[in-house]
Amino acid sequence: MHDTSSHAVAHHGPPASFIRKHIFSLDHKVIGKQYFGLAFVAVLVGIFLSWLMRLHLGWTNLAIPGLHLLSSNGAPGNLMTPEYYLQLMTMHATIMVFFVLTTAPFAAFGNYFLPIQVGAEDMPFPRFNMMSFWITFLGFIALMSSFFVGDGPTLGGWTQYAPLSAIGQAAGPGEGTGVVLWAISITLFCIGQLLGSLNFITTTLDMRTRGMSLMRMPLSVWAWFITSVMGLTAFAVLMPACILLILDHVAGTSFFVPSNLVINDQLLPHSGGSTLLWQHLFWFFGHPEVYIAIVPGMGIVSHVLITSMRRPLLSHRVMIYSMGALAVLSYMVYGHHMFVSGMNPVSSIAFSFPTLIITIPATIIVLLWLGSLYGSRLRINTASLFALGFISMFISGGVSGFFLAQPSIDILLHGTYFVVGHFHMVMGVAAMFGIFAGTFFWFPKMFGRMMNETLGRIHFWLTFVGTYTIFMPFHYIGLAGNIRRYQAFTPDYMQQFIPVHKFITVAALLTGAAQLIFVYNLIHSRFWGKPAPDNPWEATSLEWSTPSTPPPWNNFGDKMPVVYHDPYQYGVEGSTGDYVMQNSPERIETVRDEA
Amino acid sequence: MAKLFAVTIIVIAILSAIPIVRHTWWTSQDISTHGAPIDEQMSETMAESGILFLASQILLAVFIWKFSRPRPGEKIKSFPGGAMGLVIAAFLLVGTEVLALGAFGAKAWASIYFTPPGANAMPLQVQAGQFAFYFRYPGPDGKFGPLHPDLISEANQNIFGLDTEHDPDSKDDIVTAEMAIPVNREIHLLMHSKDVGHAFFVPELRVHQDFVPGLDLSMHFTATKVGRYEIVCTQLCGLGHYNMRAYLSVFSQEDFDSWLKKQATFQ
Amino acid sequence: MRRQIPFKAILFLPVALVVGIALMLVVSQKSVKAAPPSGGGVTGIVKLDGTPPHQKPIDMSKEPSCAAIHKDHPATTENVVVGSDGGLANVVVYISEGWSGGDVTPSSQPVFDQKGCQYQPHVLGVVVNEHFKVTNSDQTSHNIHPMPKPGGPNHEWNKSQPPGSPPIDAVWPAEEVAIHVKCNIHPWMSGYHVVVKTPYGVSDDKGSFKIENLPPGNYTLTAWQETYGTQTQKVTVAAGKPATATFTFKAK
C-alpha cells in the first residue's frame, strides 16, 4: 500500500546544532512540545486574567493591589475601570480560544503524535512546520504587546464586532492600536495554523507506513485529520477578514463601516461598508473553530478511554463518520450566533435546523462512549478520570445547545450568561479535560517520566467539582436574564444576581488555584518523575512501540514499523496480554464490534 | 475511586437540576401577547434536555460504577444492539426530538417575525448610541421629521439630529430618554443605531433585537401588563456597555397620554 | 555603644543636607512669588443680548443615583448659561495679545469635578502645563474623554474613573481654545477645557470676570463662549489702575 513512504521521508538528518535541536527545530516532536509550552504559558495568563475579572464581578469596588501595573491606561486607586474589565475579558477569550484550546489539543499533541501514530518519520514539510510554530508564537507576542502600548488591549470581545472594532480610537480605549495588534496577532495565528493544517493533512494522506490503512488509524489521528481540514477552510476565512479589519484602521477603507455613523457628536468619514459582513465572515470561521477546539478532544478522549476500557469502541467507523459529520455540519450552523443580529429572520430558521441536527452526531458520539463503557474492563487512573470527566462535561455543555439552537428561545437567552455557561462547559472545560487526559496519558512518552498519580487525582477531583460549581450557576442566572460582558450589574433586576456572582468568584478562585497542583505536577514530574517504561498503559498504537522513550529524532530508528492490525486490539482472546500492538506480527482474530 | 466518581456525577447532576425544577431562577414573567409560544418552547426544551441530561449522566455513572472493577477472567461484553442500535436510537430519539423542537420553534419564531405590524400600531422610534437609548414619538402630526446625522449633538440634547427650524415634521417630535407605551396597544418600534452595534432587550416583553449600524430594523409587539421594566443592551458596544439601559413604562392609555403631554413641554 | 555614635552622625549628614536643600528650595520659591507684576488687572462683565436659547432638561433616569441629585431642580443643558441679570456665565476671557510676562505660574491646582453627572465647572480654564485634577464625586463610573483637535500637540484621551477612585492628574501641553470633554457613559455630559498661556478669567453666574496681576500695558482680550464663539477687545492697563471691559454676545 504505502510501502514507499518509509523511504520518502529522509528529508532531514539528525539535528546538528543546539539551535536546530531546541529552537528552530524541524523535528515535529520538538515543535509539538514548543506548542505545548506556548499553550501552557498562555493558559496561565488566561486563568490569571479570569481571576481578576471574577474578583471584579464579585466585588466591583474592590481595589486589587498592583492592578495599575498591568494597564497602560491606568487603574485609578487599583480599582478596575469598565474598559479595563472589557480588555481583560477580550484578552482572556482570545488567549484561551486561540492560544490554548486550538494550540494544545490540536497543534501540540497533533504535532507530536500524529506522525508517530501513522508511522511516519516526520511531517512532509518540516520547515513549514517550524514556521507554523514560530509564526504562531509571533502572533502571541503581538497579542501580549497590546498590554503595553497605546491605551491597552482592545475591549471589543473575541468576536470583535464591527463597527466597534473598525472605527478606531473613537470607539473607546484600545480600539485603535489594540485592535490592530489583535488583528495582526490573529492573522499570524491563522497563517501558522494553515501551515500546520497543511502538514497534518499531507502526513495523514501520504506518509502512513506500510499497512496503516485509513481505517487502521487511531481515532486521535482521525480527529486531528478532520480538525486540520476544518482549520484549512476556517482559518482561510478569518485571515482575510482580519486583514480587511486592519485596512479599515490603517488605510481608511470602509469594509465593515457603513455611512452616517456619529460618535462623540462627530460624523465618521466612512461609508459603504457592512457590519453584518464581519459577523458572517467571523462566524463562518467562529463556529468551525468551536469544533476545532473540541474534536481533537474527542479523539484524544476516545484514544485514552479505549486504552483504559481495554476494548475498542463499539464501532470505529461510526465514530469517524460522526466526527466527520460534525465537521461538515459545523459550517452550516454558524448563523445561530446571529439569530437576533438583524439578518433575515428566514435565515434564522434555515440555520436553526442544521444546528439541531448537529446534535445527532454529537449524541451518537456520546452513546458510543457510553455503550463501549458497558461491559468493559475500565481501569481508573488520572488520564481515564479526565476522559470520563470530559464525557460528563460534554453532556452538560451539550444539552444547553438544544436551547441555543432555537431562534425563538434565543430571544430570551441571546447574550446572557446562559451562553457563557454553555460554551465554557462544552468548549472550555470539556476541551481542557481532553488536554489533561492527553497530558497524563502521553507525558511518559513525551518526557520519559511518569506524572504523579496522587497529585493528578487530587487535581482531577478539585477541577471536576470546581468547574461544575463555577459554570452551572451561569446557566441559572442567564435564564433569569443576566447579560454577559457587563463589568458591573447596574440594571435593577440584575441586583439579585450579585450574590451568585460572589459565590462563582470564590469557586473560580479555588478551582483556579487547584490548577497550580497540575503546574507543580507537570514541572516536578518533568525533572524528577519516575522513569517511564516504553508502554506504561499497555496500549496498542504505534507511539508506544518506538525504540526509546522519548522517541529518537526519526521516531522509529532505522526500521520503520509495519502495521498488521486495527488500532485498538484490546480484549484479545488467547494472547499473552489482553492486547496486541498494531505493529505486532502476531496473528490474531481481529477484535471488532461493528454491528 | 470509581464508585466515588460515579456517586459524584449523580450528585452533581441532581444538584444541578434542583434549581431548574424549583425555578429558583427562571425567566421573567411574560407581559407580551406573543411570548406564550416562546415560554412553551422553553419549558418543552427544558423538560426534554433535562431528561437527556439526567439520563446520560446517570448512565455514565452507573457504567463507571459497574465496569471499573472487573472480576479476573471476565470477558468483555458488548452493548445490546451494538453500535447500529445506538445509531438508530440516536436518530429516532434525538432526531425526532430536534425536528419537533425545530418545527414548533420555527412556528413560534414565524408568529413574531413573519407577521406585519397592524395598521393601528403606534409608531415609536428608538435610537441606540454609546451608551444610552433615546426614543422619539412623532407628536400630534403623526410624522417623524427627517434625521440629519451631521446635526447630532449630545451636548445640545439634539440626540436624533433633528432640524426643527427647517423641517416642519420635526417641530412636534417628542424625544425622551425613557420609553413609555400604552398597555394593550400594538407598538411598531423603528430601530436604528447612531454609532456601533447595540441591542434592545426587554426580558419581560420577550423582545430582543440587535441594532445594526447602517440598517433600519423594526419590531412590533403588544404589552399586556402595566408596570415599569428595563431595557438593556446585550451587544458589546464599548466601555459603557454595562450601563446602557433605559426604563420602559407600560401605562394605561390615560396615563400614557398625560406622560406624553408632559414630555412635550420639555422639548 | 561607642560605635553607634559615629554611625548616627553619618546618618545625620545626608538628612541635614536634604533638609537644607528643601529649605533653600522653599525660600527660593517664595522669593519668586514675592515679586508679582505690579499694576492691576482687568475686571468686567459678559452679557447676553436677547433671549437666551432654551436649555433642554436632561433626563438622567438611566443613572438613578444622578437623577436623585437633580430631583427637585432638573438639570439642563449648559450651552448658554445666563444669570438673572443677563450676565453670561462660563465665558473665558484671556489675553490674546500684548502679554510679555512669560509663562504663567499657576497658584493652585484647578479641579474638574463630576457631580450629579455634570461637570463642575462646566468650563475649566487652565494654563499650558498646569496640572489639574479630575475628580468623581458620584456613585457611578464616569469616563473622561477630552477631544482636542486631531493631529495637534494635545492628545485625545479617554479614561474611566470608578466611584471612590483617587483624582486623575492631567495636564495640557499646548494652548487650545477649547477642548470639548465628554463622558460616553452619560452622553449628556459635556464640558470644556480652555487651555491658554496667558492670564485669564472665567465669568461667574453674574457674568463678571477678573484677570489679575497684569503689568501696565496695552492688551487684546479674547472672550470665548462655547456656543457663540469669540470676541476681542483692546484694553489699557495703567499702573495701579485696573481696566474694565464689557463683552456682549448676541443671542442668535
Side-chain angles (χ1 to χ4, degrees), chain A residues 319-552:
Chain A
M319 185 71 189
I320 294 165
Y321 297 154
S322 299
M323 290 195 294
L326 283 184
V328 173
L329 283 167
S330 74
Y331 290 96
M332 290 146 56
V333 304
Y334 77 86
H336 67 232
H337 297 270
M338 297 169 61
F339 283 153
V340 298
S341 72
M343 71 174 179
N344 191 324
V346 181
S347 339
S348 298
I349 291 181
F351 278 118
S352 164
F353 277 95
T355 311
L356 285 161
I357 288 167
I358 208 169
T359 56
I360 297 177
T363 309
I364 293 174
I365 289 174
V366 172
L367 287 181
L368 274 181
W369 286 327
L370 291 181
S372 308
L373 210 50
Y374 176 89
S376 70
R377 301 160 63 85
L378 184 63
R379 292 179 183 174
I380 293 290
N381 50 41
T382 311
S384 67
L385 280 173
F386 271 115
L388 294 165
F390 175 100
I391 299 174
S392 173
M393 284 292 163
F394 186 72
I395 293 168
S396 304
V399 288
S400 47
F402 284 113
F403 297 83
L404 300 170
Q406 302 175 53
S408 56
I409 296 182
D410 200 49
I411 291 175
L412 278 164
L413 298 180
H414 181 81
T416 66
Y417 267 79
F418 191 90
V419 180
V420 184
H422 166 70
F423 71 70
H424 268 99
M425 279 208 146
V426 78
M427 163 187 191
V429 180
M432 281 310 294
F433 273 42
I435 297 170
F436 286 136
T439 307
F440 279 92
F441 187 74
W442 279 319
F443 188 90
K445 184 54 68 179
M446 291 171 81
F447 299 101
R449 288 177 189 278
M450 305 297 290
M451 286 188 78
N452 185 307
E453 188 66 19
T454 315
L455 286 178
R457 287 183 190 208
I458 295 172
H459 169 232
F460 167 77
W461 281 107
L462 294 175
T463 308
F464 185 73
V465 177
T467 42
Y468 266 112
T469 322
I470 299 169
F471 295 114
M472 266 300 167
F474 276 44
H475 296 85
Y476 309 145
I477 55 179
L479 263 179
N482 195 152
I483 306 302
R484 66 192 278 209
R485 291 168 165 174
Y486 274 20
Q487 67 103 14
F489 303 105
T490 44
D492 301 343
Y493 80 88
M494 287 187 204
Q495 301 308 310
Q496 49 166 325
F497 307 133
I498 292 175
V500 187
H501 279 286
K502 289 189 181 6
F503 171 81
I504 294 171
T505 296
V506 173
L509 291 179
L510 292 177
T511 312
Q515 305 313 304
L516 295 176
I517 301 173
F518 176 73
V519 173
Y520 173 81
N521 195 353
L522 202 66
I523 294 172
H524 187 266
S525 306
R526 167 71 184 80
F527 296 104
W528 301 283
K530 223 167 56 193
D534 278 342
N535 188 2
W537 315 115
E538 302 184 290
T540 56
S541 43
L542 288 184
E543 75 263 34
W544 305 106
S545 61
T546 56
S548 64
T549 299

Side-chain angles (χ1 to χ4, degrees), chain A residues 73 76-77 79 81-83 173 264, chain C residues 145 147 158-160 163 165-166 184:
Chain A
N73 207 20
L79 291 174
T81 58
E83 61 268 28
N264 302 319
Chain C
H145 187 183
M147 292 171 290
N158 187 358
K159 283 181 187 178
S160 290
S165 57
N184 297 91

Side-chain angles (χ1 to χ4, degrees), chain A residues 82-83 86 89 155-157 161 163-164 167 171 173 258 260-263 265 267 275-276 310-311 314-315 318 339-342 345-346 348-349 353 356 359-360 363-364 367-368 370-371 373-378 380 385 388-389 391-392 395-396 399 402-403 406-414 457 460-461 464-465 468 472 476 479-480 483-488 490-493 497 500 573 593 595, chain B residues 1-2 4-5 8-9 12 15-16 19-20 25-27 38 41-42 45-46 49 52-53 56-57 59-60 63-64 67-68 70-71 74-80 82-84 86-87 90-91 94-95 97-98 101-103 105-106 108-109 112-114 130 149 152-155 194-197 201 203 206-210 212-215 217 230 232-239 241-243 245 247:
Chain A
E83 61 268 28
L86 291 175
M89 179 201 82
L155 53 70
Y161 272 18
L164 182 70
I167 51 179
N260 283 336
L261 299 192
V262 179
I263 283 206
D265 295 353
L267 199 58
T275 59
L276 282 180
R310 312 310 295 168
R311 59 159 299 166
L314 281 182
S315 170
V318 172
F339 283 153
V340 298
S341 72
V346 181
S348 298
I349 291 181
F353 277 95
L356 285 161
T359 56
I360 297 177
T363 309
I364 293 174
L367 287 181
L368 274 181
L370 291 181
L373 210 50
Y374 176 89
S376 70
R377 301 160 63 85
L378 184 63
I380 293 290
L385 280 173
L388 294 165
I391 299 174
S392 173
I395 293 168
S396 304
V399 288
F402 284 113
F403 297 83
Q406 302 175 53
S408 56
I409 296 182
D410 200 49
I411 291 175
L412 278 164
L413 298 180
H414 181 81
R457 287 183 190 208
F460 167 77
W461 281 107
F464 185 73
V465 177
Y468 266 112
M472 266 300 167
Y476 309 145
L479 263 179
I483 306 302
R484 66 192 278 209
R485 291 168 165 174
Y486 274 20
Q487 67 103 14
T490 44
D492 301 343
Y493 80 88
F497 307 133
V500 187
E573 307 262 351
D593 211 339
Chain B
M1 188 65 87
L4 179 63
F5 186 38
T8 310
I9 292 178
I12 287 178
L15 283 180
S16 301
I20 298 283
W25 293 275
W26 196 249
T27 53
I38 298 176
Q41 192 73 12
M42 172 65 98
T45 312
M46 188 59 86
S49 55
L52 263 183
F53 167 75
S56 30
Q57 296 284 12
L59 209 61
L60 174 68
F63 286 175
I64 291 174
F67 300 109
S68 57
R71 280 185 297 272
E74 197 171 21
K75 294 229 177 71
I76 305 258
K77 281 189 296 242
S78 203
F79 191 75
M84 212 27 89
L86 291 178
V87 171
F91 267 98
V94 181
E97 182 191 327
V98 296
L101 285 177
W109 179 257
I112 304 161
Y113 279 90
F114 297 166
Q130 282 181 327
I152 287 179
S153 163
E154 287 166 336
K194 163 178 96 66
D195 40 41
V196 300
F201 181 36
R206 305 294 190 258
V207 164
H208 199 155
Q209 177 66 54
D210 278 7
V212 184
L215 274 187
L217 297 166
E230 276 173 288
V232 292
C233 176
T234 62
Q235 186 63 266
L236 179 57
C237 54
L239 65 92
H241 172 50
Y242 75 101
N243 201 357
R245 61 184 188 131
Y247 285 100

